[in-house]
Amino acid sequence: MTSLKNDRLATMLTHVREGHDSVKALQDLAMIYDVKESLSLSVEKLNQIIVHFIGEMLLGLEGKPSSFKMLPSFVYKGDTSVAGNFMALDLGGTNFRVLDLALEQGKVVKEEQIKYEIPLALMKSDRTGSELFDFIAECVKEYLVKKSGGEEGVQGLGFTFSFPVSQTNIDSGFLITWTKGFSTSGCEGQDVVKLLRDAFQRQNINVPVRALVNDTVGTLVTGYFEDSRAEIGAILGTGSNACYWESVPSIKKLPSPSGWGGGDEKMCINIEWGNFDSINQAILPYTEMDEVIDKASPNRGKQRFEKLISGFYLGDIARLLLLKLVRHGVLPTIPCNVPPMSFPAIELSKIIKDDSPDLDATKAVLLSLYNYKLDTTQALTIKELFSCVTLRSARLAAAGIAAILLKTGNTHNAKVCIDGSVFTKTPFYKEQMEACLSEVLGSQGITNHNVELVATANGSGVGAALISALAVAKS
């Protein structure tokens, strides 16, 4: 399909030269160019972001004020040729999963899982942590009773607990605050692994809880068991985060971490990269749409990097862009209300991949959501500008990956393990990330980098079991 800007500009110049009244059309085209420019990221801008990104990483590793938490996971690089039976418990919201894995030479040869739903009553403040964890333990007990062999032979369990925790060891972490609708009393400030172990003891469950796991760390470890070149784990979905292997001596704020065997051993560091530039707020290229989203969010001024790249926000950025075009008269008035969060990211993907001659899919999306009827030229304007929103996301994510690779020096033979619907379901996203990586690394004189971006699923489940296997092997 012909590029919007080239086609329209050529037509506009012809009209101007022929003496037509083209002021309104020129103003519309100027607005389109302005929007495209505000969402574009040059290599120079990306390099600026990368330099500041690495600086924030170093500050976080030293324990100095930084927008990055740089959380030690106490998960160490180790021998993946493990064998045995391991389990995982994945608690990320109103549902939780119990997984059972059999490993041979580090490969999953058998996997079973079952999902349970937590009663809403147990999520309320008038119920206690003991009641919540007793329910979880009862479900695990139910699974073990049905499982062939029961708990016999299970060497360890990894517990994925997707809430903010302060982790002090691989098998210890204190809940900072509940999120995702939970307010169960007696949990905040408590060691969640101890709460689980105590509940297991009350149910006479003898499966040892070996590891407390973050889903991003689980993604990296899942990829690491498949390929030792795995250096980075990332989540590019509803939210966004990344982790990587760091040399323990470089973790200055943790001079002698639990489990460290000495030397240049590698530990996985959870960056919590979504908060980048949330202290100084001077580096990321925020548009007026981004500022509106930040100001309306419950965590205003925080997670500013995540708000530019994650699936939770991309649809709303597109919605605000649509309203901007309408407000400036580039597009006609929308016949209904267009409330916040009314434009799902999945609809954004439908528009971006629309290659029909008359952009019928794009027209159908807007008609379905807002009863908004567009001609083909108007639909093309929307498609091109909405594509800029996801392209910006991909390039920013790639800049984050490049920063980690450049910081560690692993730029020539590395695998980046990525989970999340933005990466796996947004059209052209992976290719755009790859192209951007080549651009920024090339600008640093690094060619033939051989950095591979690989979709890696189920880090919160399989990854947790694999981390428990690493913990057992290390002990």
Side-chain angles (χ1 to χ4, degrees):
M1 183 175 291
T2 304
S3 170
L4 167 67
K5 60 183 180 181
N6 292 337
D7 195 30
R8 274 201 179 174
L9 181 58
T11 302
M12 187 60 54
L13 291 174
T14 299
H15 286 173
V16 170
R17 286 191 292 265
E18 292 176 352
H20 297 291
D21 184 4
S22 305
V23 173
K24 175 62 168 66
L26 275 171
Q27 290 173 338
D28 290 351
L29 188 57
M31 173 59 63
I32 292 169
Y33 271 101
D34 290 346
V35 171
K36 289 175 75 73
E37 176 61 25
S38 71
L39 294 169
S40 67
L41 291 161
S42 67
V43 172
E44 289 75 17
K45 181 62 181 179
L46 292 169
N47 278 327
Q48 180 201 27
I49 289 170
I50 287 167
V51 169
H52 284 272
F53 198 103
I54 295 172
E56 291 290 302
M57 291 175 70
L58 294 175
L59 288 171
L61 288 171
E62 293 176 3
K64 296 177 180 178
S66 168
S67 59
F68 293 146
K69 290 186 171 65
M70 302 301 286
L71 300 172
S73 69
F74 303 93
V75 176
Y76 295 87
K77 248 187 179 180
D79 183 9
T80 60
S81 59
V82 293
N85 186 204
F86 298 89
M87 293 182 65
L89 178 59
D90 178 14
L91 176 60
T94 56
N95 296 310
F96 72 94
R97 295 184 298 159
V98 177
L99 293 91
D100 185 22
L101 270 64
L103 298 178
E104 292 181 5
Q105 290 296 306
K107 304 299 181 185
V108 178
V109 294
K110 183 181 178 182
E111 177 185 346
E112 294 180 357
Q113 66 172 282
I114 186 169
K115 182 182 289 186
Y116 297 92
E117 184 174 351
I118 296 177
L120 290 177
L122 290 177
M123 299 167 56
K124 304 302 181 184
S125 59
D126 60 349
R127 305 299 286 270
T128 67
S130 294
E131 290 176 294
L132 172 63
F133 279 87
D134 278 344
F135 173 78
I136 292 170
E138 287 167 8
C139 293
V140 174
K141 182 76 170 182
E142 176 186 297
Y143 172 77
L144 289 170
V145 168
K146 296 177 182 178
K147 175 184 180 301
S148 176
E151 64 186 34
E152 184 178 352
V154 178
Q155 298 181 44
L157 179 144
F159 180 27
T160 299
F161 186 75
S162 298
F163 299 88
V165 297
S166 173
Q167 194 160 352
T168 56
N169 205 329
I170 192 169
D171 61 350
S172 178
F174 295 81
L175 175 62
I176 298 170
T177 183
W178 278 122
T179 58
K180 305 178 185 180
F182 280 77
S183 58
T184 311
S185 64
C187 295
E188 293 183 349
Q190 300 300 308
D191 184 343
V192 294
V193 174
K194 185 179 186 301
L195 290 174
L196 181 63
R197 284 172 172 162
D198 290 347
F200 274 12
Q201 187 173 18
R202 289 191 291 270
Q203 291 295 324
N204 296 313
I205 298 172
N206 296 310
V207 175
V209 183
R210 299 285 191 178
L212 181 63
V213 179
N214 169 275
D215 59 350
T216 313
V217 176
T219 298
L220 173 55
V221 171
T222 299
Y224 174 65
F225 266 76
E226 295 172 356
D227 188 337
S228 62
R229 296 182 304 125
E231 293 291 340
I232 298 173
I235 303 295
L236 293 169
T238 304
S240 187
N241 190 20
C243 65
Y244 70 105
W245 298 116
E246 179 61 86
S247 173
V248 173
S250 296
I251 311 171
K252 306 294 186 183
K253 64 181 177 182
L254 207 64
S256 185
S258 172
W260 181 35
D264 196 31
E265 199 170 3
K266 299 288 196 299
M267 182 198 290
C268 182
I269 293 293
N270 170 20
I271 300 174
E272 293 292 345
W273 81 356
N275 202 50
F276 174 60
D277 196 36
S278 294
I279 295 178
N280 297 324
Q281 299 185 8
I283 309 304
L284 292 175
Y286 259 51
T287 67
E288 64 179 86
M289 292 88 74
D290 304 314
E291 295 291 357
V292 168
I293 287 174
D294 182 46
K295 290 176 182 176
S297 69
N299 58 346
R300 181 176 177 176
K302 299 178 180 179
Q303 297 297 104
R304 284 173 66 87
F305 189 58
E306 182 176 71
K307 287 170 182 171
L308 299 184
I309 64 177
S310 78
F312 186 80
Y313 300 102
L314 290 178
D316 217 39
I317 295 171
R319 178 189 70 87
L320 289 168
L321 174 52
L322 177 66
L323 292 176
K324 178 185 176 80
L325 296 173
V326 171
R327 189 168 62 251
H328 287 272
V330 178
L331 293 176
T333 302
I334 301 173
C336 68
N337 189 29
V338 183
M341 297 299 172
S342 63
F343 199 101
I346 190 172
E347 302 299 332
L348 184 59
S349 292
K350 289 178 184 177
I351 289 174
I352 293 168
K353 71 179 180 182
D354 184 10
D355 60 359
S356 59
D358 295 320
L359 297 177
D360 292 332
T362 300
K363 296 174 184 176
V365 167
L366 275 299
L367 185 64
S368 173
L369 288 176
Y370 308 122
N371 195 30
Y372 195 32
K373 297 179 181 179
L374 301 169
D375 62 31
T376 301
T377 300
Q378 293 162 346
L380 181 57
T381 299
I382 289 173
K383 173 183 162 63
E384 283 227 3
L385 295 182
F386 280 15
S387 296
C388 293
V389 172
T390 55
L391 174 61
R392 181 182 67 163
S393 168
R395 289 176 70 81
L396 285 170
I401 297 297
I404 299 168
L405 293 170
L406 289 165
K407 191 269 173 202
T408 58
N410 298 315
T411 56
H412 284 94
N413 190 25
K415 178 177 173 182
V416 182
C417 309
I418 306 177
D419 194 10
S421 57
V422 170
F423 179 74
T424 59
K425 295 183 179 179
T426 304
F428 319 118
Y429 198 92
K430 177 184 177 183
E431 294 80 5
Q432 290 166 348
M433 283 188 68
E434 291 170 337
C436 184
L437 270 175
S438 293
E439 282 183 61
V440 294
L441 293 179
S443 72
Q444 303 297 323
I446 300 168
T447 56
N448 302 318
H449 55 74
N450 194 27
V451 175
E452 185 180 1
L453 308 182
V454 181
T456 307
N458 208 8
S460 62
V462 172
L466 295 175
I467 288 172
S468 72
L470 281 178
V472 169
K474 188 170 180 60
S475 65

